[in-house]
């Protein structure tokens, strides 16, 4: 006989469902299921006595106590309950009808422990930044359950309602309810701090730690989210509704598992959107019995009482006071924010006076703004009334605080707001009071408290401030403060790796944007703007916000007066312009001209340290564009400057540039010395800084990988690659792509084709998602090379040629020599001899023109192999080519090129009857590879040696 189950705290699980009776919550796979109150009562009654028949009269008495209902009502709710459970679908059975008797719950049930209370489980979604939920939310439980169910059924839900009604509060609560279902992958985006519609997609992209390389990052954002399961909370959308509607439409149409919960005062009006209208909190509307019972029954009045008591009011509610509370909530139309603002005044003014002030002020404004949306009228009136209740000092401070966009620190407020008769002590005291009066919101970010004005409060204050004469001076102090803040925190930005780490910095960055907008506006100060833009440029670069870096540096340079030119600010701005142009538009003349102008200013100022630092991006520009001899000149120049300076960072940069240049030129021994100098333990112990976007230590590590392989140390190269791949996982900067490209290139040289393929998938997908076109083309070219190496030569060669054309168009020639050699080798293996030989000649011209001489030994080897195998071609020069390849590889110190040339030469000699010569050559060459295993080139050479022996 079945045993009845009475579980109110523990959950009851059946199939994909879980029922927690004490919380009246039914979930499917972690997502709430809305079945209605009566159906939930029926289900609770049935699962409490599983495998037992409960007759219909008993069920009806349990569900409808003291009410007489017809049996049809029970059948109706049973049918809806079965539909919600999927009863009968794919063999699922939950509720059985026992003819003439009643109903029985027949599915197996297991008991689950109640969820442990405490901090949320850690998430692997490092960008998660969900704000904490309120300790107690009044009157919104049903909304949270309904919204959770809608998000389970659909992928886009917009909470629509008036300002101050509690949309954000409900959205955050829904996000917390669904966090487990999304494995913690929840991202909260506050668009209230963004005023430019063009930055809507940028804001979301930045919070995800993605690089922004175009004015519209939406395509790359969609690509990034395509295979992810994430819940996005898009908060405060109404002022950017068109831009966010386009963004949301792109995300929902381009992804499969991204769900969006938006809050707005109006619907987005796009395909697939479900609109959830969040009404004001319920309040008594009649004039009949408005006693204590009414206060206890309605959430609006409950909220008012709770907030008033929490603010220190001693409120003993009798029938008379209950009537006043109902009157206040009715006047405020149940808007949560307005109720909270009024409730917090009860301590100072008492309940009766609060109600009287409400009548005197807000009723007039209500009727005066009849044409405005109803909830906006109420909130406007509430703010007006609240403002009148402040002291003169509080009003002044609140007006001045409106200069901030979004969150700000106390330090920022004291610095910007003080002045004009207000010292910092008075400002601090006023802010404390304003927080208490709910005119300023406070929220901890880690160990630091951050403040903000609610959006409606800020808009009201700006309107109230009008032409009070404080505006220009206040805006100037605001801009000056954030310039200093950028200069002080610039070194912190590269280490920000999680959403919570970046949140306060991104909030401050919105103030930087606002300050820049004012500086270059009609009433702004361009001289302040130039300094602010120069300080902001490194941060924009570090956060990979290249379009903004370009926009503000170009704007500042265009507005800069002649007498300000030639100084440190122009130097910084020209460098920012050149670097941003290089990433956005490619390696054009405008980019290199800006970089040269920055370098010329540094030289004219006698700023030798920045002159050395600027040689890094110039070297990088010419490296990518294929002017390799220029790279050596810049490296030599940096060496000349860094020596007398004695600055460790400048010296490390010079060694890096020289190591890269020597590697390209094929002087591997000297290149290794330079790179080891950068990566020594003593150098790495110093502070890590990135200047003008050039991370010389990562570049030194990158080049060392290829140098090790070329020197004939494939095992060491593999070990370093694996270390770099681990580092890439925590990077949020384009240098991660450079490291991945080089890792793939070296893995392909080594012959680790499967490992290379796995990394190529990551490289191409992420390059597409972050709009890094050159890296995408490089990755696709490597995929074509992989096809050639695996024997699909015709298709691979055709694709490689296509992607080479794309790289030529972008003036990205760093890997051109390599791809030419691979193409020639592949064409030869396919028996396309004349095409292969033509490719050898083209490669020779490329190397002679650009100076990438480290490929010469391999090119000579490929040419020799073509001459040996090709019918109808003169093969008399084959041995000479291979001998020259051997000589050149030894001169360069390239053990890997030497091994390849020695293997092919030994094979040729063996075919000519000179096995002893071939055997001796391979023995001496293989000696240095004794500890290298699972390396295809080494295996091939050993197999050949075994045949010769």
């Amino acid at each position: 006989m079945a045993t009845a189950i009475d579980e109110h705290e523990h959950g009851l699980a059946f199939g994909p469902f879980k029922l927690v009776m004490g919380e009246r919550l039914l979930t499917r796979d972690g997502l709430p299921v809305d079945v209605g109150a009566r159906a939930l009562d029926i289900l609770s009654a049935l699962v409490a006595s599983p495998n037992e028949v409960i007759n219909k009269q008993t069920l009806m008495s349990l569900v409808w106590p003291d009410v007489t209902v017809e049996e049809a009502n029970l059948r109706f709710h049973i049918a809806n309950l079965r539909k919600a459970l999927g009863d009968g679908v794919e063999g699922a059975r939950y509720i059985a009808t026992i003819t003439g008797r009643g109903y029985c719950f027949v599915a197996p049930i297991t008991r689950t422990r109640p969820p442990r209370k405490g901090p949320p489980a850690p998430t692997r979604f490092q960008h998660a930044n969900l704000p904490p939920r309120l300790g107690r939310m009044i009157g919104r439980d049903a909304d949270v359950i309904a919204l959770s169910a809608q998000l389970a059924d659909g992928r886009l839900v917009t909470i629509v309602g008036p300002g101050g009604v509690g949309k954000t509060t409900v959205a955050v609560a829904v996000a917390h309810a669904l966090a487990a279902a999304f494995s913690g992958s929840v991202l909260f985006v506050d668009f209230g701090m963004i005023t430019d519609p063009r930055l809507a997609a940028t804001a979301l992209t930045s919070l995800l730690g993605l690089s922004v390389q175009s004015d519209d990052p939406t395509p790359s954002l969609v690509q990034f989210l395509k295979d992810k399961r994430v819940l996005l909370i898009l908060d405060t959308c109404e002022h950017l509704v068109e831009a966010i509607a386009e963004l949301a439409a792109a995300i929902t149409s381009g992804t499969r598992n991204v769900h969006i919960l938006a809050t707005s005062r109006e619907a987005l009006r796009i395909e697939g959107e479900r609109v959830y209208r969040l009404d004001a909190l319920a309040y008594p509307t009649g004039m009949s019995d408005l006693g204590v019972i009414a206060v206890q029954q309605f959430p609006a009045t409950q909220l008012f009482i709770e907030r008033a008591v929490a603010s220190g009011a001693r409120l003993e509610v009798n029938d008379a006071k209950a009537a006043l509370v109902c009157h206040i909530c009715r006047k405020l139309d149940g808007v949560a924010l307005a109720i909270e603002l009024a409730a917090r005044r009860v301590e100072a003014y008492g309940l009766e006076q609060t109600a009287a002030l409400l009548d005197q002020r807000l009723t007039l404004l209500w009727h005066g703004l009849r044409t405005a949306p109803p909830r906006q009228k109420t909130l406007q009136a509430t703010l007006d009334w609240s403002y009148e209740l402040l002291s003169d000092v509080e009003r002044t401070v609140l007006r001045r605080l409106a200069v901030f966009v979004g969150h700000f620190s106390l330090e920022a407020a004291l610095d910007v707001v003080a002045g004009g008769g207000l010292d910092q002590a008075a400002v601090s005291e006023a802010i404390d009071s304003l927080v208490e009066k709910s005119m300023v919101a406070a929220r901890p970010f880690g160990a630091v408290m951050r403040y903000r004005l609610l959006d409606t409060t800020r808009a009201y204050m700006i309107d109230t401030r009008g032409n009070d004469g404080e505006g220009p001076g206040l805006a100037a102090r605001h801009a000056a403060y954030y310039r200093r803040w950028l200069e002080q925190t610039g070194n912190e930005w590269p280490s920000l790796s999680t959403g919570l780490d970046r949140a306060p910095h991104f909030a401050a960055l919105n103030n930087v944007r606002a300050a820049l907008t004012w500086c270059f506006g009609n009433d702004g100060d361009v001289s302040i703007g130039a300094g602010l833009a120069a300080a902001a440029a490194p941060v924009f670069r570090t956060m990979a916000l290249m379009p903004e870096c370009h926009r503000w540096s170009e704007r500042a340079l265009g507005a800069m007066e002649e007498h300000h030119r030639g100084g440190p600010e122009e130097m910084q701005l020209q460098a920012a312009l050149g670097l941003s142009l290089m990433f956005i538009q490619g390696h054009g003349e405008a980019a290199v001209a800006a970089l040269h102008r920055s370098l010329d200013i540094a030289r004219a100022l006698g700023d030798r340290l920045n002159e050395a630092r600027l040689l890094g991006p110039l070297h990088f520009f010419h490296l990518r564009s294929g002017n390799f001899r220029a790279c050596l000149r810049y490296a030599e120049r940096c060496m000349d400057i860094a020596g007398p300076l004695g600055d460790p960072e400048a010296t490390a940069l010079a060694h890096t540039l020289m190591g890269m240049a020597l590697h390209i030129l094929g002087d591997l021994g000297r290149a290794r010395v330079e790179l080891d100098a950068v990566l020594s333990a003593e150098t790495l112990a110093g502070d890590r800084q990135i200047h003008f976007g050039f991370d010389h230590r990562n570049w030194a590590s990158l080049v060392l990988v290829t140098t090790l392989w070329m020197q004939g140390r494939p095992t060491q190269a593999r070990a370093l690659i694996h270390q770099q791949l681990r580092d890439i996982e925590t990077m949020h900067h384009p240098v991660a792509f450079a490291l991945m490209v080089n890792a793939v290139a070296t893995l392909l040289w080594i012959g680790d084709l499967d490992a290379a393929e796995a990394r190529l998938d990551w490289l191409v997908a992420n390059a597409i998602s972050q709009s890094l076109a050159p890296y995408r083309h490089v990755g696709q070219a490597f995929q074509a090379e992989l096809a050639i190496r695996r024997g699909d030569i015709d298709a691979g060669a055709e694709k490689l040629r296509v992607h080479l054309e794309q790289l030529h168009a972008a003036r990205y020639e760093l890997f051109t020599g390599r791809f030419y050699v691979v193409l020639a080798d592949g064409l030869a293996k396919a028996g396309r001899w004349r095409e292969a030989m033509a490719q050898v000649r083209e490669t020779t011209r490329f190397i002679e023109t650009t100076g990438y001489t480290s490929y010469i030994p391999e090119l000579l080897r490929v040419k020799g192999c073509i001459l040996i195998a090709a019918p109808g071609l003169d093969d008399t020069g084959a041995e000479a080519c291979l001998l020259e390849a051997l000589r050149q590889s030894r001169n360069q110190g390239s053990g890997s090129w030497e091994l390849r040339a020695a293997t092919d030469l030994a094979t040729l000699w063996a075919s000519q009857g000179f096995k002893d010569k071939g055997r001796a050559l391979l023995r001496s060459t293989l000696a240095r590879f004794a500890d290298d295993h699972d390396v295809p080139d080494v295996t091939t050479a050993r197999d050949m040696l075994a045949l010769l022996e």
Side-chain angles (χ1 to χ4, degrees):
M1 182 168 177
T3 303
I5 299 175
D6 185 14
E7 293 292 343
H8 289 273
E9 303 219 351
H10 291 257
L12 302 176
F14 44 95
F17 298 95
K18 179 180 176 182
L19 175 64
V20 183
M21 295 186 188
E23 298 180 15
R24 293 185 59 79
L25 177 64
L26 175 67
T27 61
R28 179 189 176 99
D29 295 327
L31 297 175
V33 179
D34 187 13
V35 296
R38 301 297 187 189
L40 190 63
D41 290 337
I42 294 170
L43 179 62
S44 298
L46 291 171
V47 299
S49 300
N51 299 313
E52 290 189 0
V53 179
I54 302 179
N55 65 52
K56 298 174 184 178
Q57 290 301 323
T58 301
L59 270 177
M60 288 190 288
S61 65
L62 289 171
V63 177
W64 289 277
D66 304 320
V67 178
T68 301
V69 297
E70 296 181 354
E71 188 177 316
N73 290 329
L74 178 61
R75 292 198 299 271
F76 172 82
H77 287 290
I78 287 284
N80 285 340
L81 184 57
R82 282 175 167 155
K83 182 178 179 180
L85 295 175
D87 203 331
V89 177
E90 296 181 355
R93 290 292 309 280
Y94 296 100
I95 301 172
T97 301
I98 310 300
T99 304
R101 297 178 59 190
Y103 300 96
C104 177
F105 194 86
V106 296
I109 296 176
T110 58
R111 301 168 63 181
T112 63
R113 292 182 177 274
R116 296 178 60 185
K117 296 182 179 180
T123 173
R124 296 182 62 186
F125 186 70
Q126 60 181 346
H127 310 293
N129 62 347
L130 185 58
R133 67 175 119 197
L134 290 177
R136 171 171 156 79
M137 184 174 60
I138 296 176
R140 295 301 188 191
D141 292 344
D143 296 308
V144 170
I145 292 175
L147 281 163
S148 300
Q150 286 197 13
L151 273 172
D153 294 336
R155 293 178 49 224
L156 171 60
V157 179
T158 303
I159 304 176
V160 175
V165 77
K167 299 185 294 294
T168 300
T169 298
V170 171
V172 170
V174 172
H176 278 281
L178 297 179
F182 285 87
S183 301
S185 298
V186 181
L187 189 74
F188 182 88
V189 187
D190 182 4
F191 286 110
M193 297 181 287
I194 304 295
T195 58
D196 187 346
R198 295 173 299 177
L199 295 177
T202 296
L204 176 53
T205 303
S206 298
L207 287 174
L208 287 169
L210 301 179
S211 171
V212 180
Q213 299 290 332
S214 64
D215 287 327
D216 182 17
T218 302
S220 59
L221 174 63
V222 172
Q223 184 66 31
F224 175 80
L225 294 171
K226 190 172 185 178
D227 60 347
K228 294 177 174 57
R229 177 171 170 79
V230 179
L231 174 59
L232 300 178
I233 309 298
L234 309 184
D235 189 48
T236 314
C237 300
E238 56 268 8
H239 60 302
L240 306 172
V241 66
E242 292 184 5
I244 295 175
E246 293 178 3
L247 176 63
I251 292 173
T252 54
S253 64
T255 66
R256 291 180 298 175
N257 293 310
V258 176
H259 292 239
I260 297 175
L261 179 61
T263 71
S264 177
R265 296 186 189 180
E266 61 178 299
L268 301 182
R269 294 194 293 276
I270 61 175
E271 185 70 26
E273 179 189 29
R274 293 190 179 191
V275 176
Y276 188 93
R277 297 198 175 274
L278 189 65
D279 293 327
L281 294 172
Y283 54 88
T285 57
M287 296 304 297
S288 55
D289 185 13
L290 299 180
V292 176
I293 295 178
V295 171
Q296 296 172 346
Q297 288 180 339
F298 291 91
T301 50
Q302 292 176 29
L303 177 65
F304 183 91
I305 296 295
E306 181 170 300
R307 295 297 187 264
V309 172
S311 299
R314 296 185 177 182
L315 197 60
E316 296 181 3
V317 181
N318 52 31
D319 285 346
K321 290 185 177 180
L324 282 174
V325 171
C326 293
H327 170 75
I328 291 171
C329 292
R330 187 167 57 253
K331 277 291 185 182
L332 298 176
D333 213 31
V335 176
L337 175 59
I339 290 172
E340 293 197 16
L341 290 171
R344 295 184 189 281
R345 303 305 177 277
V346 174
E347 179 190 18
Y349 296 99
L351 190 60
E352 292 81 2
Q353 186 62 21
T354 299
L357 288 171
L358 194 69
D359 284 335
Q360 293 170 15
R361 298 292 298 151
L362 297 185
T363 303
L364 294 174
L365 288 176
W366 178 284
H367 293 294
L369 297 175
R370 180 61 67 184
T371 58
R375 300 302 185 268
Q376 186 178 7
K377 291 180 293 188
T378 302
L379 192 57
Q380 172 71 25
T382 302
L383 289 167
D384 193 15
W385 166 73
S386 299
Y387 183 69
E388 292 298 327
L389 297 179
L390 301 177
S391 68
D392 290 341
V393 172
E394 289 170 345
R395 292 178 192 174
T396 300
V397 170
L398 190 61
R399 285 198 309 270
R400 294 180 181 179
L401 287 175
V403 73
F404 292 100
V405 178
H407 290 93
F408 55 88
S409 65
L410 181 61
E411 175 192 9
L414 296 179
D415 193 284
V416 174
V417 173
L422 280 179
D423 59 21
Q424 291 192 348
V427 172
S428 179
E429 184 178 355
I431 290 174
D432 287 342
S433 179
L434 290 168
V435 170
E436 290 294 324
K437 295 177 180 179
S438 298
M439 298 301 291
V440 174
R443 175 188 170 189
F445 276 84
V448 180
M449 187 67 70
R450 301 281 172 167
Y451 303 86
R452 68 166 295 182
L453 272 63
L454 298 177
D455 301 333
T456 48
T457 305
R458 180 174 182 267
Y460 177 85
M461 288 302 110
I462 292 174
D463 186 55
T464 301
R465 194 171 65 202
N467 297 320
D468 58 6
E470 289 188 337
L474 187 64
R477 294 199 299 275
H478 177 259
Y481 171 81
Y482 279 101
R483 175 183 177 174
R484 293 193 300 274
W485 175 80
L486 286 168
E487 292 169 345
Q488 293 167 2
T489 62
N491 291 335
E492 298 175 9
W493 289 82
S495 63
L496 305 175
S497 58
T498 68
L500 291 177
D501 289 339
R502 290 193 295 268
H505 287 70
F506 273 123
L509 195 57
N510 283 302
N511 277 286
V512 172
R513 290 169 171 144
L516 285 167
T517 301
W518 172 81
C519 287
F520 297 109
N522 293 332
D523 300 321
D525 188 327
V526 294
S527 63
I528 297 176
L532 180 61
V539 172
F540 285 135
R541 288 198 304 268
T542 299
M543 304 313 292
L545 299 171
M546 292 301 178
E548 287 189 79
C549 182
H550 172 250
R551 182 185 311 142
W552 292 117
S553 56
E554 186 176 53
R555 188 86 175 267
L557 287 167
M560 183 175 286
E561 297 178 0
E562 191 61 34
H563 64 277
H564 285 145
R565 293 188 178 275
E569 288 178 359
E570 189 192 355
M571 179 185 71
Q572 292 282 349
L573 290 169
Q574 292 285 4
L577 179 63
L579 283 164
S580 58
L581 281 171
M582 185 166 60
F583 280 99
I584 294 173
Q585 299 180 8
H587 302 82
E589 295 301 323
V592 74
L595 291 173
H596 275 299
R597 170 61 180 165
S598 181
L599 183 65
D600 290 342
I601 293 172
R603 187 186 301 111
L605 293 173
D607 187 348
R608 302 288 280 174
L609 182 57
N610 275 318
E611 184 181 354
R613 290 169 174 172
L614 283 162
L615 292 170
L618 275 165
H619 183 284
F620 184 59
F621 177 93
H622 290 289
L623 177 74
R624 285 165 55 117
S625 58
N627 190 353
F628 304 118
R629 292 191 178 90
C631 293
L632 179 61
R633 293 196 297 270
Y634 287 119
E636 291 171 341
R637 189 169 166 186
C638 192
M639 277 287 188
D640 292 340
I641 296 172
L645 279 178
D647 180 82
E649 289 290 330
T651 301
L653 172 62
H655 284 303
T656 299
L657 301 186
M658 185 58 72
M660 294 170 71
L662 293 173
H663 169 90
I664 289 169
L665 296 174
D667 192 346
L668 300 180
R670 289 176 59 199
R672 177 72 182 277
V673 172
E674 300 291 343
L675 298 172
D676 285 344
V678 180
L679 300 171
S680 65
E682 292 79 11
T683 303
L684 289 175
D687 293 335
R688 179 162 193 167
Q689 297 183 12
I690 300 174
H691 300 288
F692 299 109
F694 190 87
D695 184 355
H696 56 267
R697 284 181 180 154
N698 268 322
W699 274 97
S701 177
L702 179 153
V703 178
L704 181 60
V705 166
T706 311
T707 301
L708 286 169
W709 177 81
M710 292 183 70
Q711 286 185 311
R713 296 177 173 85
T715 301
Q716 293 181 40
R718 272 177 174 160
L720 187 53
I721 286 172
H722 292 312
Q723 176 60 52
Q724 290 178 353
L725 293 175
R726 288 191 292 271
D727 293 340
I728 288 171
E729 294 176 358
T730 61
M731 285 185 184
H732 302 280
H733 192 276
V735 72
F737 287 89
L739 289 168
M740 184 63 79
V741 165
N742 194 71
V744 166
T746 309
L747 287 170
L748 287 172
W749 280 135
I750 293 172
D752 292 346
L753 303 188
D754 291 340
E757 182 177 26
R759 306 306 171 185
L760 274 173
D761 292 340
W762 180 96
L763 173 63
V764 173
N766 283 275
I768 291 172
S769 71
Q770 299 193 36
S771 300
L772 299 175
Y775 284 126
R776 173 166 62 90
H777 297 319
V778 167
Q780 291 169 333
F782 276 123
Q783 287 177 328
E785 177 184 332
L786 180 64
I788 291 172
R789 292 184 181 279
R790 283 182 165 163
D792 189 6
I793 296 174
D794 290 339
E798 185 62 29
K799 290 179 181 178
L800 185 54
R801 281 173 166 158
V802 170
H803 295 305
L804 274 168
E805 288 302 317
Q806 294 169 330
L807 290 169
H808 294 331
R811 298 182 65 181
Y812 191 102
E813 308 290 355
L814 178 58
F815 293 100
T816 299
R818 173 207 177 98
F819 291 137
Y820 279 173
V821 172
V822 170
L823 187 56
D825 192 31
L827 292 170
K829 289 176 179 176
R832 296 159 65 175
W833 314 112
R834 296 193 180 278
E835 289 180 75
M837 190 57 73
Q839 187 62 57
V840 167
R841 289 192 291 269
E842 183 178 359
T843 308
T844 302
R845 288 192 295 270
F846 175 83
I847 292 174
E848 290 173 348
T849 302
T850 63
Y852 208 138
T853 54
S854 64
Y855 284 129
I856 288 178
E858 178 68 354
L859 180 63
L860 287 167
R861 183 194 68 82
V862 171
K863 181 179 179 181
C865 291
I866 295 172
L867 292 174
I868 292 171
L873 291 179
D874 180 12
D875 63 353
T876 57
E879 183 176 5
C881 282
L882 293 175
L883 284 170
E884 182 61 15
L886 197 65
R887 187 186 69 82
Q888 292 258 20
S889 61
R890 287 169 175 170
N891 288 342
Q892 291 187 3
S894 177
S896 291
W897 292 153
E898 181 184 352
L899 180 64
R900 289 186 174 187
T903 302
D904 289 337
L905 185 58
T907 303
L908 176 63
W909 282 343
S911 69
Q912 296 172 344
F914 304 113
K915 291 185 178 181
D916 291 342
K917 288 174 62 177
R919 185 164 53 246
L921 175 61
L922 282 179
R923 281 177 178 171
S924 63
T925 307
L926 278 168
R928 73 180 65 179
F929 294 93
D931 296 328
D932 295 301
H933 306 283
D934 298 323
V935 178
D937 285 348
V938 177
T939 301
T940 300
R942 286 173 178 161
D943 289 344
M944 187 64 214
L945 179 59
L947 287 174
L948 295 178
E949 292 178 337

